[in-house]
Amino acid sequence: HSQTLLPMLDEIGKMIDLDLSTIDAIAVAAGPGSFTGLRIGSATAKGLGLALDKPLIAVPTVDALAYNLYGTDKLVCPIMDARRKQVYTGIYRFEDHKLVTVEAQMAVPMMEMIDKLNERGEEVIFLGDGVPVFAKMIQENLKVPYSFAPAHVNKQRAAAVAALGALYAKEGKVVTAMEHVPEYLRVSQAERERAQKLKEQEAAGEAAKNEVQP
């Protein structure tokens, strides 16, 4: 992605004869998602923002995913597979043609989200790459009516990030390129493994200390 993203942006700019100085702001999917992907996307947006002196609009990835289902009268539950039986998710609805956040994006076990939806008792639409991973769990445990979004709106779309970004910009939700940081929602696997290793080392040290005590 780091090798192809900027050339692709350059090509798109040439195709539509875009004068970069005329843009108002840069919308970027701010996370959660792949740690490497988020870093590349954020670094690219920050670089463009700094070079062009333009603000950034950080669009939460789960919000943008929910925006794919603009206008539905059902609860919207995006689910992105976060591994270890967890999902990046949230609960949304549309009111008066506006996206309303019922529960903001979070990283939780899928079963916990199913429990939340059962408590709400409303019909829900799922979308995202977590659907094929957790479809069986949903089928076996969800007690409210549900459906899965069709394929053409089931994944992250740059157009949804841009459309929601334009709305957020009007609301003044912008930051400087220097201020922007990606939103990971949880620590990376490398950080988890390091913390676990440190914990094991501390436990081994305590055990060794206890052994030498009279």
Side-chain angles (χ1 to χ4, degrees):
H1 289 313
S2 60
Q3 294 174 345
T4 59
L5 182 56
L6 281 170
M8 288 169 69
L9 288 172
D10 185 51
E11 185 64 26
I12 291 171
K14 290 175 181 175
M15 288 171 65
I16 63 174
D17 197 24
L18 175 66
D19 179 356
L20 288 174
S21 66
T22 64
I23 68 173
D24 299 306
I26 300 166
V28 57
S34 154
F35 283 82
T36 303
L38 286 179
R39 289 183 180 119
I40 292 169
S42 288
T44 302
K46 284 169 75 75
L48 288 170
L50 288 168
L52 300 170
D53 194 24
K54 301 292 182 180
L56 267 56
I57 311 157
V59 179
T61 307
V62 180
D63 291 25
L65 192 50
Y67 204 63
N68 285 358
L69 300 185
Y70 176 86
T72 181
D73 60 351
K74 313 292 191 301
L75 279 182
V76 179
C77 183
I79 49 175
M80 297 166 57
D81 184 17
R83 313 298 180 192
R84 299 169 178 247
K85 295 185 179 180
Q86 287 197 334
V87 286
Y88 298 126
T89 185
I91 302 175
Y92 304 83
R93 69 167 80 251
F94 287 90
E95 295 177 0
D96 297 325
H97 303 288
K98 291 183 179 179
L99 180 68
V100 175
T101 302
V102 179
E103 292 206 27
Q105 62 178 21
M106 64 190 95
V108 295
M110 184 61 204
M111 199 60 227
E112 184 176 322
M113 177 50 69
I114 289 173
D115 291 340
K116 286 176 180 285
L117 293 168
N118 282 335
E119 288 174 11
R120 290 193 168 274
E122 298 179 57
E123 185 172 351
V124 59
I125 303 179
F126 292 96
L127 73 162
D129 63 14
V131 167
V133 179
F134 295 103
K136 186 177 180 182
M137 184 184 292
I138 292 169
Q139 181 182 7
E140 292 175 349
N141 296 282
L142 194 65
K143 297 178 175 62
V144 298
Y146 70 90
S147 58
F148 299 129
H152 68 288
V153 290
N154 188 45
K155 299 293 191 297
Q156 291 91 340
R157 300 162 73 199
V161 174
L164 204 49
L167 294 176
Y168 287 171
K170 289 179 182 177
E171 296 171 4
K173 296 178 181 178
V174 298
V175 296
T176 66
M178 191 67 73
E179 291 171 328
H180 171 71
V181 290
E183 189 173 354
Y184 297 110
L185 285 191
R186 68 178 195 182
V187 298
S188 69
Q189 182 176 345
E191 290 171 301
R192 287 197 303 272
E193 290 176 353
R194 180 175 180 274
Q196 180 62 30
K197 190 173 182 180
L198 288 172
K199 187 185 291 185
E200 290 171 356
Q201 288 174 346
E202 288 175 5
E206 283 295 320
K209 190 189 299 181
N210 292 334
E211 284 178 8
V212 299
Q213 286 179 352

